[in-house]
Amino acid sequence: MKELVEIIAKSLVDSPDEVVVTEREENGSLYVDLSVAADDMGKVIGKQGRIAKAIRGVVKAAASKENKKVVVEIK
């Protein structure tokens, strides 16, 4: 999941070198933390959060094949 979020985020931002994705597992769920440069935050979130919702939807679809629960947090 980490690689998927990283590929999507790097294709959206102007500074792909500053994209950092980390994974952690808590209570049976996989948490994927995404952080980008401050200038690129709006590009990852999108108008009314549409891009963020799309990223979460793609990750959720990929996780359902593996029967996992994945939460994407943008920091």
Side-chain angles (χ1 to χ4, degrees):
M1 295 303 141
K2 177 181 175 181
E3 295 83 16
L4 177 62
V5 173
E6 192 170 351
I7 289 169
I8 293 171
K10 284 185 177 184
S11 67
L12 292 171
V13 299
D14 289 333
S15 305
D17 298 337
E18 296 189 38
V19 172
V20 178
V21 181
T22 57
E23 283 183 336
R24 59 187 162 86
E25 194 161 340
E26 292 179 12
N27 303 326
S29 296
L30 182 65
Y31 288 85
V32 179
D33 299 326
L34 169 64
S35 61
V36 297
D39 296 339
D40 293 328
M41 189 62 72
K43 293 178 181 170
V44 173
I45 295 173
K47 290 183 181 180
Q48 298 179 351
R50 288 187 181 136
I51 295 175
K53 287 179 187 176
I55 292 171
R56 290 183 177 116
V58 169
V59 171
K60 184 177 179 179
S64 69
K65 288 187 173 185
E66 299 176 15
N67 293 328
K68 291 184 179 180
K69 182 176 182 206
V70 178
V71 179
V72 178
E73 295 180 351
I74 301 171
K75 298 185 176 190

